Amino acid sequence: MSNKSKLFKSLKPPVFICIGVLLSYTVLTVISLLGAFICNATEDPARLVGIVAFAVLLITAAVSSFILSRLRVEGGGLLAILTAAGFVIIRIVISLFLSGTDLSDLLDCACYLGMGTIFALLGQKRFGRRHR
């Protein structure tokens, strides 16, 4: 077992959730940059901004929840779901202060939480041969 995996397994759950939220925002930044490059490469980038932003949000939920549930084997799925919930809460609070929250923001957050839950549960499962 590597030192990194021991480190993540030994973290207390609140600390793991805080680090997971930071990881989720880092993944969001990287995937947003990739989405911006993809949008910019098209003929009419302004037309695709909404759908690319939504796709980036869902991909972020999937990647970060899967990674977090894999990093922490015992209770990793639950902690990844709680991390997705923390991400959503911070996103709603930031949105309230910046521009106000409307229905589309809340639906985006619900989709993020749903996608995060699905991939946290998928990441928790172990695939491969079972030895008897």
Side-chain angles (χ1 to χ4, degrees):
M1 195 179 310
S2 70
N3 290 335
K4 289 181 184 179
S5 61
K6 286 181 185 177
L7 175 72
F8 283 109
K9 289 179 182 179
S10 67
L11 287 175
K12 295 184 190 245
V15 175
F16 184 81
I17 291 171
C18 291
I19 291 173
V21 169
L22 289 174
L23 176 79
S24 296
Y25 275 103
T26 305
V27 170
L28 177 67
T29 303
V30 170
I31 295 176
S32 293
L33 287 173
L34 291 174
F37 286 131
I38 291 170
C39 235
N40 194 26
T42 63
E43 198 171 292
D44 186 16
R47 187 180 59 153
L48 297 176
V49 168
I51 191 69
V52 170
F54 185 66
V56 161
L57 194 65
L58 293 181
I59 292 169
T60 300
V63 169
S64 62
S65 293
F66 191 82
I67 289 172
L68 288 171
S69 65
R70 282 293 195 180
L71 284 176
R72 181 96 177 227
V73 178
E74 292 295 323
L78 178 64
L79 288 177
I81 293 169
L82 291 174
T83 300
F87 180 92
V88 165
I89 290 170
I90 291 173
R91 186 168 183 260
I92 288 174
V93 168
I94 290 172
S95 179
L96 281 173
F97 285 117
L98 291 180
S99 63
T101 303
D102 58 349
L103 184 61
S104 67
D105 290 336
L106 296 176
L107 290 175
D108 286 348
C109 289
C111 290
Y112 183 92
L113 194 56
M115 184 69 86
T117 302
I118 290 168
F119 276 88
L121 295 175
L122 285 176
Q124 190 176 13
K125 291 187 177 185
R126 297 288 177 209
F127 299 105
R129 297 179 81 183
R130 296 181 190 230
H131 299 286
R132 293 182 186 226

